[in-house]
Amino acid sequence: MERIRILKDKCTGCKLCVRACPFAAITIQDRKAVIDLTKCNLCGACVEACKFSAIELKKETAAKGTDLGLYKNVWVFCEQKKGKIQSISWELLGEGRKLADKLKVKLCGILLGSNISGAAAGIIERGADEVYVVDEKELENYLDEPYTNILVELVREYRPEIFLCGATTLGRSLVSRVAVKIYTGLTADCTGLDIDKETGNLLQTRPAFGGNIMATIITPNYRPQMATVRHKVMKEAAVQKGRKGAVIAKRFDKKIYASRTRLINMVDELEQTVNLCEADIIVSGGRGLGCADNFKLIRELAISIGGAVGASRAAVDSDWIPYSHQVGQTGKTVCPKIYIACGISGQIQHLIGMQSSDVIIAINRDPDAPIFNVATYGIVGDLFQVVPLLTKRFKEVCKK
Amino acid sequence: MDYLLNEQQVMIRDLARQIAKEKIAPVAAEYDEKEEFPWPIVKLLADSDLFGVYIEEKYGGIGGGVLELAICTEELSKACGGISLSLAATALGTYPIILFGNDEQKQKYLPDIAKGRKLAAFAITEPEAGSDAGSIKTTAKKEGDHYILNGTKQWITNGGEAEVYTVVAMTDKSKGARGASVFILEKGMKGFTFGKKEKKLGIRASATRELIFTDCKVPKANLLGKEGLGFIVAMKTFDKSRPGVAAQAVGIAQGALDFAVDYAKNRRQFGQAISSFQGIQFMLADMATQIEAARALIYSACRMIDSGAKDISKISAMAKMFASDVAVKVTIDAVQIFGGYGYMRDYPVEKFMRDAKITQIYEGTNQIQRNVIAQALIKESLK
Amino acid sequence: MKIIVCIKQVPNSADVKIDPKTNTLIREGVESVINPFDTYAIEEAVRLKERFAGTITIITMGPPQAEAALREALSLGCDEAILISDRAFAGSDTWATSYTLSSAIKKIGSYDLILCGKQASDGDTAQVGPGVATHLDIPQVTYVKKIEEINGEKARVERLVEDGYEIVEVSLPCLFTVVKEINVPRLPSLKGKIKAKAAKVAVWNAASLECDPKRLGLEGSPTKVMKIFNPPPRKGAVKITGEPEEAVDKLIELLGKDLPR
């Protein structure tokens, strides 16, 4: 018995499902839809698309042994580096607070490190009701295994229903392990989080299947519901001076700190002065620049408005500018106040990385370039004329 | 059009296409501008085994024939006719060994060439001997176990970069064309030096250089075939290599057409894409049709040659002549479609036009090709 | 050295175009390729083999068509290929996928190193590599940008992080996920392609793995897709036309207080 099937009497062969399928698994044969089960991923996109209820998908699986009611509260992993809490944690606390309020439960921060207990107050001031702190010499620097072991122990003991973590290099490595050990669901890079009013489930929304569609993902039968969020996607929680909360210090048996990896050294790369993710203004150049030399136009424009320099994949692949400047699916996700795209056509891979910027300005010769669909303002024109003029005007207007 | 390529030919085409698109196209303009030999690309081509497509498997090649070579040359030329020439000219320099070399000579030279570890070059042209090969002045005098070469070769593609040279020299001047012989020379032989590197209109990524022989001592074992076979070696070599020039021409033409179509779709004038204008459409249609006709002729010629047919000079010359004329015409039209942009070096099509011209000239001017074709026709009519 | 490389076949993102009318992806005719990040894992495996000798086993979980990705990997220098394919795997999330891959790796038996790309270009989760390591109970290093040293027992690698890199020592066997900076993947060779064409690709189904069938596919996946939808269409840019000077002035005016002053 297949989990998905076409109800032949209802199918009109209208092709809506063919277009909706992210895996190109549906074809029309003899005016009826046929699903190639070797390609089908049972995602249900076709069920949504069908106007005739002609596709049946058995999604429900028996609830697992987990007693969901035992799990309460929203947890946020508060990432620290060299004793400093990273701003991603403030963003997660902001979002976590909203979820906790909707569920009428507590928001808890999880803090691991060495000589770190003092930072707990700051987490409470950002909205946490409780902070679980594990403060040990062995936790000074991040290592997969001890950090994983501790989170697993904490989850088993205190049973949170939601567990959020930053989609940083640390977070992605850590919670992937935690979720597998606990046997629960983990949704990466959520762009939206909400609570389903009926079921109380966490609704985790993220771009799916490489781009222009969104999926809402749930973890109905397992707890905690784990999710990561990329930096700059959520708004930071405001500081509430003097806010009170509980700090719970935890200690573990020494063997929990055993690790088969050892950090030898950390090397800061100072040349990476461009921290694109943090920039409020970004000026990006793409294929339309034609050659590496012309990137100076972009740099001058960026300087004139106090912004950082970004680039499309096409520009990076042509070796016009290093990879660290790449914005997009395989580069960085940015969310500045102003994003200026010069000579970038707007391939979906690029748009994914910058489309949540507050104001997007596109400069392109081709009036049909997809970049204009996401832009706030678009100048249809030759960037070699427009950009130098804009640089000149910005210098006049934005002088400090 | 479906040319019913076999599995291996499709593999060659796809791999050459991938290299052209990913590795050659992005650097073509740069090498053209700098007039530099593209060693990094040659290394890539070597690692991909493409240098061995026309060389027998027992000598480390892939075991294909001139069709495989043509497919490969065409694909590479779509991105850059100059860079593709490093491979095509190596084939030209290698065919004398394939056709007339003894097993020892083949064992010694072909595996390195097939692997791309050594490039080859063919040297016949001299300042006074272009189309008139009978007036070659380079001499090879036999002295014991050696020949002593003296003279100068001109405009030798891959000159200076190649390790292996097949050189035509006169062993007996009194016999005219029948007194020519072909020798295998290696870079570094005493008395073998290089003259000036030429500055060219097009194919500027390829090296074109003078070879100078001053009492250059070449072992007897390096004579290809017999004394006096030189002219025949050259003619048989050209029969095999001319479809390669044709393929280079068609690749250049196709590369220019692809840019022209793309540009016509995107360039807007009078509120619409210029591809919607019939004047442009007719040009594109003519260009595409001529290219397809040239390609069909080349592939047929290659198949005839690879089948072992005897009289191949005519079809080989036809393919070279027709395809190179098409290349010049199509690339000029591509520049026309680009308008003012086409004339600018910041845009890619003027390079195709410059690169195309040489295909009408080298390996026998198109006038010589017509001679060859006509002579074959007359000869056939006498049968 | 025995190396296992896990790869995924994905739609070629360079091919993906958007239908400007419906704002949906045009999937027809999009070719499938090896996940770009996995190509670095393959290249690194081949380089290690060239340095230290050994074998490379390449595995993928996917539909029968994914065999093409395995053959491409074989043409680049991998020795054996295993396709893990069964309808029972359909609907797998990262938990079930990493469980399935780890079950296959247990069946392969011994190994020194497992290599994966840092993430797949279609899903972008970066969870499967660490998931496999966890199921196998081996250490991992993610975002590896350089393997400095490696011997039978230990490796020392550079791991890319946000503000530089870390030097990490790890005991073998272990799993690395690698980033673009680690190498420049080679192109296939004709002879490699010819050899790969003739090579045998093993196909393992669910029954051939020692695993709990309840942990496979949709049933074994804790996460479920509840809804799929197109992002709300953007209203599109306020287009500014006219001479460049006018256009720039108009833009400055529109930006108004958004500009830093």
Side-chain angles (χ1 to χ4, degrees), chain A residues 91-122:
Chain A
E91 295 162 19
L92 293 174
L93 285 166
E95 191 65 18
R97 187 69 259 170
K98 287 187 221 156
L99 298 174
D101 289 346
K102 280 184 190 159
L103 289 164
K104 299 190 176 64
V105 297
K106 285 187 231 169
L107 174 66
C108 311
I110 309 299
L111 182 59
L112 274 57
S114 170
N115 271 326
I116 197 75
S117 303

Side-chain angles (χ1 to χ4, degrees), chain A residues 351 368-376, chain C residues 18 20 23 233-237 239:
Chain A
L351 301 186
D368 297 327
I371 189 80
F372 289 120
N373 295 332
V374 302
T376 325
Chain C
I18 303 246
N23 203 31
R234 296 252 183 168
K235 57 180 187 296
K239 292 246 178 87

Side-chain angles (χ1 to χ4, degrees), chain A residues 2-3 19-24 36-43 45 48 58-59 61 64 81 144-145 168-170 172-173 176-177 179-181 183-189 196 203 205-206 208-210 212-220 222 260-269 272 281 305 313 316-317 323 326 329-330 338 347-349 355-356 359-361 367 372-380 385-386 389-390 393-394 397-399, chain C residues 11 13-14 16-18 20 22-25 27-28 36-37 62-65 87 89-95 98 118-119 121-128 130-135 137-143 145 154 156 159-171 180-181 214-216 218-231 234-242 244-245 247-249 251-252 254-255 258-261:
Chain A
E2 300 298 348
R3 285 186 180 279
R19 262 179 252 139
C21 176
F23 302 96
D36 180 348
L37 291 163
T38 62
K39 289 183 179 171
C40 175
N41 201 35
L42 304 171
C43 72
E48 300 267 334
K58 291 210 176 79
K59 277 200 155 181
T61 46
K64 289 286 174 290
K81 257 183 197 163
D144 290 312
E145 289 176 283
T168 56
T169 56
L170 185 160
R172 284 172 170 230
S173 309
S176 300
R177 282 186 90 96
V180 164
K181 279 211 163 181
Y183 199 167
T184 190
L186 169 62
T187 307
D189 300 348
D196 186 330
L203 303 174
T205 299
R206 74 183 300 258
F209 314 121
N212 223 31
I213 51 180
M214 305 295 287
T216 299
I217 292 166
I218 50 172
T219 307
Y222 297 76
R260 288 170 284 186
T261 54
R262 194 159 67 89
L263 182 69
I264 309 283
N265 196 6
M266 281 195 270
V267 182
D268 290 338
E269 299 227 294
Q272 263 193 327
I281 298 171
I305 192 172
R313 182 177 158 176
V316 172
D317 283 354
Y323 171 66
Q326 186 174 322
Q329 191 184 7
T330 49
I338 300 178
Q347 293 250 350
I348 183 67
Q349 290 78 12
Q355 60 190 357
S356 50
V359 175
I360 298 170
I361 301 163
F372 289 120
N373 295 332
V374 302
T376 325
Y377 307 116
I379 296 184
V380 182
Q385 291 178 16
V386 175
L389 281 169
L390 198 54
R393 294 287 282 123
F394 277 161
V397 180
C398 310
K399 55 182 165 237
Chain C
S13 60
V16 175
K17 302 241 156 51
I18 303 246
T22 60
N23 203 31
T24 52
L25 293 183
R27 294 193 173 78
E28 275 179 343
F37 296 111
Q65 302 90 300
R87 275 190 210 169
F89 302 142
S92 292
D93 70 357
T94 57
W95 201 101
S98 56
K118 72 162 179 171
Q119 65 198 55
S121 66
D122 58 348
D124 274 330
T125 69
Q127 288 168 9
V128 172
V132 168
T134 310
H135 280 295
D137 190 25
I138 58 171
Q140 75 197 25
V141 184
T142 50
Y143 307 101
K145 78 173 183 90
K154 271 197 291 206
R156 183 195 280 243
R159 171 175 189 265
L160 193 69
V161 293
E162 281 84 354
D163 42 14
Y165 63 93
E166 299 174 350
I167 300 171
V168 178
E169 198 175 77
V170 59
S171 63
K180 184 179 173 170
E181 285 76 6
K214 287 198 182 62
R215 297 184 165 203
L216 300 176
L218 196 63
E219 193 177 359
S221 297
T223 62
K224 311 281 172 211
V225 177
M226 191 175 103
K227 186 169 79 160
I228 288 203
F229 57 99
N230 287 316
R234 296 252 183 168
K235 57 180 187 296
V238 175
K239 292 246 178 87
I240 306 167
T241 48
E245 289 82 2
V248 166
D249 284 342
L251 176 66
I252 302 270
L254 283 166
L255 283 171
D258 285 333
L259 279 177
R261 284 173 203 255

Side-chain angles (χ1 to χ4, degrees), chain A residues 70-312:
Chain A
L70 292 174
Y71 290 77
K72 273 228 162 353
N73 299 337
V74 176
W75 281 19
V76 167
F77 179 77
C78 297
E79 182 174 336
Q80 55 88 13
K81 257 183 197 163
K82 295 176 181 165
K84 186 173 179 287
I85 309 269
Q86 302 294 294
S87 57
I88 175 74
S89 309
W90 309 143
E91 295 162 19
L92 293 174
L93 285 166
E95 191 65 18
R97 187 69 259 170
K98 287 187 221 156
L99 298 174
D101 289 346
K102 280 184 190 159
L103 289 164
K104 299 190 176 64
V105 297
K106 285 187 231 169
L107 174 66
C108 311
I110 309 299
L111 182 59
L112 274 57
S114 170
N115 271 326
I116 197 75
S117 303
I123 295 171
I124 292 168
E125 286 189 334
R126 297 271 187 166
D129 302 306
E130 291 173 353
V131 182
Y132 292 85
V133 183
V134 187
D135 194 335
E136 294 287 349
K137 184 85 196 72
E138 289 88 341
L139 298 175
E140 183 178 352
N141 294 309
Y142 172 73
L143 288 171
D144 290 312
E145 289 176 283
Y147 271 62
T148 301
N149 294 341
I150 289 170
L151 290 192
V152 169
E153 284 306 312
L154 289 174
V155 165
R156 284 188 179 144
E157 187 174 347
Y158 296 99
R159 297 188 179 130
E161 58 185 308
I162 291 172
F163 196 167
L164 307 179
C165 181
T168 56
T169 56
L170 185 160
R172 284 172 170 230
S173 309
L174 170 63
V175 286
S176 300
R177 282 186 90 96
V178 173
V180 164
K181 279 211 163 181
I182 299 174
Y183 199 167
T184 190
L186 169 62
T187 307
D189 300 348
C190 298
T191 53
L193 294 170
D194 204 353
I195 303 294
D196 186 330
K197 285 200 183 81
E198 281 171 37
T199 61
N201 281 332
L202 179 64
L203 303 174
Q204 308 160 107
T205 299
R206 74 183 300 258
F209 314 121
N212 223 31
I213 51 180
M214 305 295 287
T216 299
I217 292 166
I218 50 172
T219 307
N221 303 319
Y222 297 76
R223 290 292 181 269
Q225 306 160 86
M226 298 184 71
T228 66
V229 178
R230 286 179 83 154
H231 188 25
K232 291 270 173 180
V233 172
M234 305 293 182
K235 297 272 175 259
E236 272 189 23
V239 176
Q240 299 163 260
K241 279 276 172 225
R243 195 170 183 282
K244 291 278 177 286
V247 176
I248 301 130
K250 291 296 294 180
R251 302 212 68 168
F252 291 95
D253 193 279
K254 283 287 171 196
K255 67 172 189 277
I256 206 166
Y257 302 112
S259 176
R260 288 170 284 186
T261 54
R262 194 159 67 89
L263 182 69
I264 309 283
N265 196 6
M266 281 195 270
V267 182
D268 290 338
E269 299 227 294
L270 295 169
E271 58 180 338
Q272 263 193 327
T273 43
V274 234
N275 195 343
L276 272 184
C277 301
E278 304 292 340
D280 279 336
I281 298 171
I282 295 174
V283 183
S284 282
R287 197 194 298 277
L289 285 169
C291 68
D293 247 13
N294 291 335
F295 246 97
K296 67 173 185 285
L297 295 174
I298 301 299
R299 285 190 199 99
E300 284 162 9
L301 181 58
I303 291 167
S304 74
I305 192 172
V309 173
S312 72

Side-chain angles (χ1 to χ4, degrees), chain B residues 107-366:
Chain B
Q107 285 290 2
K108 185 170 176 193
Y109 293 105
L110 295 185
D112 280 343
I113 292 171
K115 273 269 147 228
R117 285 190 289 259
K118 288 181 178 171
L119 301 187
F122 184 62
I124 182 165
T125 306
E126 297 184 0
E128 306 294 327
S131 299
D132 177 13
S135 58
I136 286 171
K137 291 206 164 54
T138 299
T139 55
K141 214 174 118 199
K142 197 167 176 186
E143 270 187 18
D145 281 349
H146 289 83
Y147 287 88
I148 308 295
L149 266 69
N150 277 291
T152 300
K153 293 287 171 188
Q154 182 175 260
W155 303 334
I156 305 308
T157 306
N158 280 352
E161 312 295 340
E163 298 285 329
V164 180
Y165 296 80
T166 40
V167 178
V168 185
M170 303 304 286
T171 37
D172 187 346
K173 271 197 156 172
S174 64
K175 289 187 184 161
R178 282 161 201 248
S181 304
V182 181
F183 298 90
I184 308 172
L185 269 73
E186 291 175 43
K187 189 175 174 176
M189 280 180 163
K190 202 161 171 250
F192 176 13
T193 54
F194 301 102
K196 69 164 178 176
K197 197 177 162 185
E198 304 292 344
K199 291 183 177 169
K200 305 190 293 292
L201 171 71
I203 54 164
R204 290 164 42 148
S206 84
T208 308
R209 215 160 160 180
E210 250 177 6
L211 314 184
I212 302 164
F213 311 109
T214 322
D215 291 333
C216 177
K217 213 170 150 187
V218 180
K220 216 172 73 181
N222 285 27
L223 173 69
L224 269 176
K226 291 186 298 197
E227 270 190 34
L229 270 184
F231 198 63
I232 292 172
V233 173
M235 291 309 112
K236 297 276 180 203
T237 294
F238 285 141
D239 285 347
K240 291 266 190 180
S241 70
R242 277 172 184 151
V245 178
Q248 181 196 21
V250 124
I252 292 171
Q254 184 70 55
L257 175 63
D258 291 346
F259 273 112
V261 171
D262 197 53
Y263 183 82
K265 278 193 318 200
N266 290 309
R267 171 69 172 172
R268 297 177 74 86
Q269 289 287 279
F270 306 104
Q272 50 193 314
I274 62 168
S275 61
S276 62
F277 300 128
Q278 206 174 44
I280 300 287
Q281 289 178 354
F282 281 11
M283 285 174 82
L284 293 172
D286 286 346
M287 291 156 80
T289 308
Q290 291 171 66
I291 291 173
E292 204 60 69
R295 186 179 290 120
L297 178 57
I298 296 169
Y299 285 24
S300 309
C302 290
R303 287 194 159 119
M304 184 175 158
I305 296 168
D306 288 337
S307 72
K310 279 238 157 60
D311 297 320
I312 54 174
S313 300
K314 184 179 75 176
I315 191 83
S316 177
M318 283 174 163
K320 191 269 186 186
M321 177 192 89
F322 187 74
S324 57
D325 285 348
V326 164
V328 169
K329 190 166 182 320
V330 166
T331 53
I332 289 174
D333 283 349
V335 171
Q336 192 66 25
I337 287 171
F338 266 70
Y341 288 108
Y343 202 71
M344 300 300 145
R345 296 230 302 256
D346 282 341
Y347 288 79
V349 284
E350 57 82 34
K351 173 179 180 295
F352 285 96
M353 180 175 137
R354 289 186 284 108
D355 288 351
K357 182 63 197 172
I358 189 63
T359 61
Q360 288 182 317
I361 299 172
Y362 64 12
E363 294 193 31
T365 61
N366 280 6

